[in-house]
Amino acid sequence: MRLTPTERDRLLIFTAAELARARRDRGVRLNVPETTALIADTVCEAARDGRRLAEAIEAGRRVLSADEVLPGVPDVVTSLQVEAVFEDGTRLCVVDDPFRQRGSLGAEAPGAALPGDGAGYHPAEPALRLRVRNTAAVPISVTSHFHFFEANPRLAFDRAAAYGTRLAVPAGSSVRFDAGSTVVVELLPIGGARVAIGFAGLVDGPLDAPGAREAALAKARATGYLTAGPDQEQEREQA
């Protein structure tokens, strides 16, 4: 059986969550990896059961109490992000403050983040703007760090221009494309090592590898992904 990287990650989360459930049932207080896995798995299963985004996130917040985890865990696990598959597609779920309380250790907590003064931080400027038309009969949402080139095949836009980019929106947020609507989006280059794994499987590797862009475009065309049409005025505008 061939599994995609995304499917393998999902099975890893499930396995770790099952271990966490078994230990919790024995009265063992959970550590950070066990806590993270159990919350993430709860969100993914809620989505799989047909619940809405807000309901899945709320399920993740309710699965554990501070009494069921080790001291300091609520100080470390203050926010969790996991991609879950809903009936209308994949969405990034952000579970903030999963224990609904401030941690007890404060700056002494393991891995605590100490805020700085923000000196030297400059927000990135969008690299380009694209017109995107949703040709589907249902709304489509794309999350902040999804490789936009691989977004839903029913979204019509200049995919060649969007290769190697993501939405220029805050982490954890998304852009909604209502059925039949056209939305102008701003895009940023994917940073870091520039490796795209999972998503729709059009790349699954380094974005800048020789021939990767051409191969991804060929695969997109062969599998029915929509691109800019001559009557859609899909003109790129340099920001």
Side-chain angles (χ1 to χ4, degrees):
M1 179 174 64
R2 183 182 180 276
L3 298 175
T4 66
T6 299
E7 290 166 339
R8 289 197 295 268
D9 288 345
R10 178 69 191 94
L11 288 175
L12 179 62
I13 291 173
F14 171 77
T15 302
E18 284 294 281
L19 176 63
R21 289 187 183 95
R23 289 178 173 172
R24 182 185 62 176
D25 292 346
R26 298 201 311 267
V28 177
R29 301 177 77 177
L30 305 184
N31 59 24
V32 170
E34 293 161 352
T35 298
T36 302
L38 183 51
I39 294 173
D41 183 70
T42 300
V43 172
C44 290
E45 287 304 296
R48 189 69 176 83
D49 289 341
R51 299 168 73 176
R52 295 180 175 273
L53 176 64
E55 294 172 332
I57 291 173
E58 186 61 23
R61 285 200 181 104
R62 292 182 179 276
V63 68
L64 282 172
S65 69
D67 294 334
E68 295 175 302
V69 300
L70 290 170
V73 170
D75 297 271
V76 177
V77 186
T78 58
S79 182
L80 183 147
Q81 299 184 14
V82 61
E83 285 192 342
V85 180
F86 292 83
E87 291 180 344
D88 58 349
T90 301
R91 294 189 183 183
L92 181 65
C93 302
V94 182
V95 184
D96 290 322
D97 190 20
F99 296 98
R100 298 181 177 274
Q101 64 177 44
R102 299 184 66 86
S104 58
L105 301 183
E108 302 300 320
L114 302 179
D117 58 7
Y121 172 74
H122 301 286
E125 292 294 327
L128 59 94
R129 295 187 180 92
L130 287 180
R131 287 188 176 91
V132 181
R133 185 165 72 91
N134 180 8
T135 66
V138 296
I140 295 172
S141 293
V142 180
T143 52
S144 58
H145 282 63
F146 196 93
H147 184 203
F148 199 73
F149 170 83
E150 302 182 64
N152 193 293
R154 296 299 94 196
L155 293 178
F157 59 92
D158 187 345
R159 296 204 181 246
Y163 183 85
T165 66
R166 64 173 180 84
L167 289 166
V169 296
S173 61
S174 63
V175 173
R176 177 186 171 97
F177 302 88
D178 289 324
S181 69
T182 298
V183 178
V184 177
V185 299
E186 295 183 333
L187 301 174
L188 288 170
I190 292 175
R194 288 182 57 77
V195 174
I197 298 294
F199 300 113
L202 297 181
V203 180
D204 275 341
L207 289 163
D208 302 321
R213 183 174 181 274
E214 292 72 19
L217 284 167
K219 185 180 290 187
R221 287 191 292 267
T223 52
Y225 278 73
L226 296 179
T227 57
D231 60 339
Q232 294 174 233
E233 301 180 357
Q234 301 279 334
E235 296 178 353
R236 275 190 298 171
E237 303 173 32
Q238 295 297 327

